[in-house]
């Protein structure tokens, strides 16, 4: 069913008369959906305890039904209504990192298992740091189930117009609070079993977590982790264009040859990165090498090039340090692979040209 989508501009610091908030809070109260800015990416929120609202989130995004949602709460006390903290580790994490870009997976209270948790016995929870998100949670009086506000499989939205591109006609409200600060999704940390495991890397990294927890933090998924974090099974972060990652050696040795080959084939390609400038004629987005700044512009870059109708995006990734680790996780999922040399580009071009 097509709905009319309204975009409401709000101050990024969460101030404002309240008229803007009143109508979206009323919408949430009736089980409706509202896209809102968080410090990481825009979320698509609905009442976490209303099965109808949760079902509507899945329908609007086209999200696989077994991929659980993060519950957004205002503080630790509200988190404990949804998850359990038998050994006090959540309290330690909350003190150090909330509000902030850390999602914690806990043993779930029974009430969320059939809604946000999709049948799992765990639940993912975070307190977002964005004033607009916090105000929405406080004024509505309930926790918000919220995945990233994109169509399933697409890059997460870091601006309101990205949400519009994906979800206009599918949701009633988008709160526009400007661009998101972090630019990639929160770290997902599983403490529901004995060990402490990062299921999705993000701005809060293993070093920061170990410093606070004084215990080893395991990086990445176990084999059985596929069951623990169902989201990792699906395609993610993909723009419409095909994405290939440029290895450093390609940039250093084969760049000119490659650009020439792309021109020769008349392929509409684009570039995202920091080491090369492919010339005026090529749609490109230059990003800073520093990983925190790179992350802030990354999804925007993919969407800008999609908007220009390119068929192929070549990406020069950030250095693998600090947040670079989290970015490479997203990059590898967005891309069809890496280009090691000129020959591998030529091999990959053949299917693209015959597709179109
Ligand atoms: O930064 C973020 O986390 C954003 C903002 C809006 O808060 N949200 C976000 O949600 O990225 P989403 O749904 O796009 O990604 C949530 C990830 C998925 O990979 C999902 O499978 C995982 O968290 N997840 C949710 N509940 C889980 C659970 N109980 N156990 C393991 N993984 C879970
Ligand atoms: Mg997502």
């Amino acid at each position: 069913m097509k709905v009319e989508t309204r975009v409401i501009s709000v101050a990024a610091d969460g101030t404002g008369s309240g008229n803007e908030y009143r109508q979206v809070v009323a919408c949430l109260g009736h089980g409706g959906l509202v896209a809102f800015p968080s410090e990481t990416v825009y979320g698509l929120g609905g009442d976490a305890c209303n099965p109808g609202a949760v079902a509507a989130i899945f329908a609007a995004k086209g999200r696989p039904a077994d991929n659980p949602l993060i519950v957004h709460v205002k503080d630790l006390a509200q988190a404990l209504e949804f998850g359990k903290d038998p050994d006090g580790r959540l309290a330690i994490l909350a003190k150090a990192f909330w509000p902030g870009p850390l999602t914690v997976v806990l043993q779930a209270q029974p009430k969320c298992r059939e809604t946000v948790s999709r049948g799992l016995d765990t639940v993912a929870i975070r307190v977002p740091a964005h004033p607009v998100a916090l105000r929405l949670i406080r004024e509505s009086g309930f926790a918000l189930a919220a995945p990233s506000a994109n169509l399933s499989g697409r890059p997460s939205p870091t601006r309101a117009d990205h949400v519009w591109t994906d979800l206009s006609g599918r949701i009633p409200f988008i709160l526009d609070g400007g661009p998101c600060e972090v630019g990639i999704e929160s770290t997902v940390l599983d403490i529901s079993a004995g060990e402490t495991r990062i299921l999705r890397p993000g701005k809060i990294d293993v070093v920061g977590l170990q410093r606070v927890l004084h215990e080893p933090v395991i990086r990445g998924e176990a084999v059985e982790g596929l069951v623990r974090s169902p989201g990792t099974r699906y395609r993610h972060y993909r723009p419409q264009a095909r994405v290939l990652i440029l290895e450093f050696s390609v940039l250093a040795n084969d760049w000119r040859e490659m650009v020439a080959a792309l021109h020769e084939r008349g392929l509409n390609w684009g570039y995202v990165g920091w080491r090369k400038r492919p010339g005026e004629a090529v749609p490109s987005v230059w990003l800073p090498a520093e990983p925190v700044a790179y992350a802030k512009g990354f999804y925007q870059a993919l969407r800008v090039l999609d908007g220009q109708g390119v068929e192929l995006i070549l990406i020069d990734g950030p250095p693998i340090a600090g947040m670079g680790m989290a970015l490479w996780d997203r990059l590898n999922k967005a891309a069809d692979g890496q280009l090691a040399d000129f020959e591998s580009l030529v091999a990959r071009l053949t299917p693209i040209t015959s597709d179109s």
Side-chain angles (χ1 to χ4, degrees):
M1 195 182 68
K2 190 144 170 88
V3 293
E4 192 194 332
T5 302
R6 290 181 54 201
V7 180
I8 299 178
S9 290
V10 289
D13 63 3
T15 58
S17 67
N19 285 336
E20 312 91 308
Y21 286 88
R22 212 160 294 134
Q23 50 189 332
V24 297
V25 163
C27 169
L28 288 168
H30 294 114
L33 306 185
V34 176
F36 63 93
S38 89
E39 80 279 29
T40 55
V41 300
Y42 273 73
L44 177 60
D47 178 355
C49 293
N50 180 334
V54 170
I57 290 174
F58 281 84
K61 278 183 62 97
R63 184 177 176 100
D66 63 349
N67 192 3
L69 304 177
I70 297 173
V71 179
H72 295 67
V73 295
K74 62 181 193 300
D75 54 24
L76 176 62
Q78 195 178 21
L80 295 172
E81 292 172 20
F82 293 85
K84 300 175 184 169
D85 185 27
D87 50 19
R89 276 187 298 170
L90 176 67
I92 294 170
L93 290 165
K95 188 154 188 268
F97 299 113
W98 281 356
L102 178 69
T103 295
V104 186
V105 175
L106 304 162
Q107 283 297 318
Q109 302 288 4
K111 71 172 176 184
C112 19
R113 293 191 186 160
E114 296 312 317
T115 51
V116 287
S117 296
R118 315 310 282 175
L120 296 179
D121 56 7
T122 58
V123 62
I125 307 179
R126 83 179 188 101
V127 178
H130 200 292
V132 172
L134 283 172
R135 183 163 176 186
L136 208 55
I137 297 167
R138 288 207 186 94
E139 293 201 4
S140 66
F142 41 69
L144 293 179
S148 49
N150 50 278
L151 282 175
S152 192
R154 294 279 176 226
S156 296
T158 56
R159 297 165 184 250
D161 64 281
H162 303 166
V163 182
W164 175 268
T165 302
D166 279 18
L167 298 180
S168 62
R170 294 170 168 258
I171 59 172
F173 288 108
I174 301 171
L175 278 185
D176 182 354
C180 299
E181 193 54 41
V182 178
I184 60 169
E185 310 79 3
S186 61
T187 306
V188 177
L189 183 73
D190 186 353
I191 62 166
S192 68
E195 62 191 25
T196 303
R197 182 182 291 276
I198 294 177
L199 299 181
R200 180 176 70 186
K203 184 173 185 187
I204 293 173
D205 64 7
V206 71
V207 179
L209 290 165
Q210 284 181 163
R211 195 182 300 134
V212 164
L213 288 169
H214 304 293
E215 62 172 295
V217 173
I218 303 164
R219 232 183 284 210
E221 293 250 313
V223 176
E224 82 277 21
L226 280 179
V227 179
R228 272 207 230 138
S229 192
T232 51
R233 203 182 307 143
Y234 301 107
R235 282 171 65 98
H236 272 310
Y237 320 121
R238 301 225 172 190
Q240 273 150 302
R242 188 161 174 203
V243 173
L244 291 170
I245 302 169
L246 297 162
E247 280 188 13
F248 177 68
S249 57
V250 182
L251 282 161
N253 308 323
D254 302 325
W255 178 249
R256 276 166 172 274
E257 207 179 359
M258 229 169 64
V259 171
L262 290 165
H263 284 314
E264 200 173 290
R265 278 157 212 260
L267 201 78
N268 188 1
W269 66 286
Y271 169 87
V272 173
W274 54 284
R275 277 177 284 217
K276 296 287 178 188
R277 290 177 190 268
E280 296 283 297
V282 179
S284 49
V285 180
W286 188 85
L287 293 174
E290 196 282 308
V292 171
Y294 193 110
K296 193 168 177 174
F298 178 58
Y299 288 142
Q300 156 81 351
L302 298 182
R303 283 178 177 271
V304 163
L305 294 185
D306 257 355
Q308 295 180 32
V310 307
E311 300 158 85
L312 170 69
I313 301 175
L314 296 182
I315 298 196
D316 173 25
I320 310 177
M323 225 163 106
M325 305 277 290
L327 266 162
W328 273 91
D329 166 73
R330 310 306 192 271
L331 251 175
N332 284 323
K333 289 181 176 133
D336 277 336
Q338 302 213 6
L339 289 181
D341 50 33
F342 175 66
E343 283 69 35
S344 62
L345 172 70
V346 173
R348 299 241 184 204
L349 287 181
T350 317
I352 293 186
T353 9
S354 59
D355 274 358
S356 50

